[in-house]
Amino acid sequence: SAVISQKPSRDICQRGTSLTIQCQVDSQVTMMFWYRQQPGQSLTLIATANQGSEATYESGFVIDKFPISRPNLTFSTLTVSNMSPEDSSIYLCSVFGLAKTGELFFGEGSRLTVL
Amino acid sequence: GQNIDQPTEMTATEGAIVQINCTYQTSGFNGLFWYQQHAGEAPTFLSYNVLDGLEEKGRFSSFLSRSKGYSYLLLKELQMKDSASYLCAARGGNKLVFGAGTILRVKS
């Protein structure tokens, strides 16, 4: 299994500000994934963060709004820029495990509320 | 494209058996996963199928038919603590795409 630490665990933010979420993994991984879970909804993949290259964004998500850094094989950050109330959500960092099942492990999530 | 469908919610009685169905369409399919998510918590892995058939793991079993794009999660001897959201997720290439989740309510 993989142990994933995220911070902050929760925050209340003002409209128009930006917040950076950090994700630390206890092992080296090639890909790290950032998901969003809006209230009452399922998980939506924002982007895949690869070390040494730019992140790959899913349809509907852009780098200007969600810049991602991946400075090494155990760490990544996701910034939510120029926040609006619609960005109120749980943001989850995840990685594939090393078992042959290859399941996705999740961090505890960062719950953001934008006022 | 990718599409995953599962029922929005289900209710079952403690001690009973419940089956949660999932249909999926995904390119480059290489695995079907089920996750459990309690309110306010991150999803936790329950089961994985990549070949057709049934995988059993204690009170939980999962079935896959690749030709039909169909899976189900079977929960036996339901307990109150099984009340949660159950997420079906299909892996295509290096991405895991989640369904909207099925809220299961277990009543006594």
Side-chain angles (χ1 to χ4, degrees), chain A residues 62-105:
Chain A
V62 295
I63 188 171
D64 290 347
K65 176 66 176 177
F66 298 100
I68 287 171
S69 80
R70 185 79 202 274
N72 58 52
L73 291 173
T74 63
F75 186 78
S76 177
T77 68
L78 170 76
T79 298
V80 186
S81 303
N82 188 24
M83 286 185 282
S84 66
E86 292 71 36
D87 295 318
S88 297
S89 191
I90 300 173
Y91 293 85
L92 294 141
C93 171
S94 61
V95 302
F96 282 120
L98 298 177
K100 68 173 184 178
T101 50
E103 67 262 34
L104 207 61
F105 290 94

Side-chain angles (χ1 to χ4, degrees), chain A residues 8-51:
Chain A
S9 58
R10 58 178 64 230
D11 208 339
I12 298 174
C13 310
Q14 296 299 317
R15 183 194 298 258
T17 62
S18 299
L19 183 81
T20 296
I21 302 166
Q22 299 180 7
C23 177
Q24 179 76 50
V25 187
D26 69 341
S27 55
Q28 294 185 334
V29 292
T30 306
M31 291 179 291
M32 295 174 75
F33 303 90
W34 287 98
Y35 283 85
R36 179 176 74 180
Q37 187 171 31
Q38 293 178 301
Q41 307 210 4
S42 190
L43 287 79
T44 302
L45 182 63
I46 298 171
T48 303
N50 304 297
Q51 196 270 333

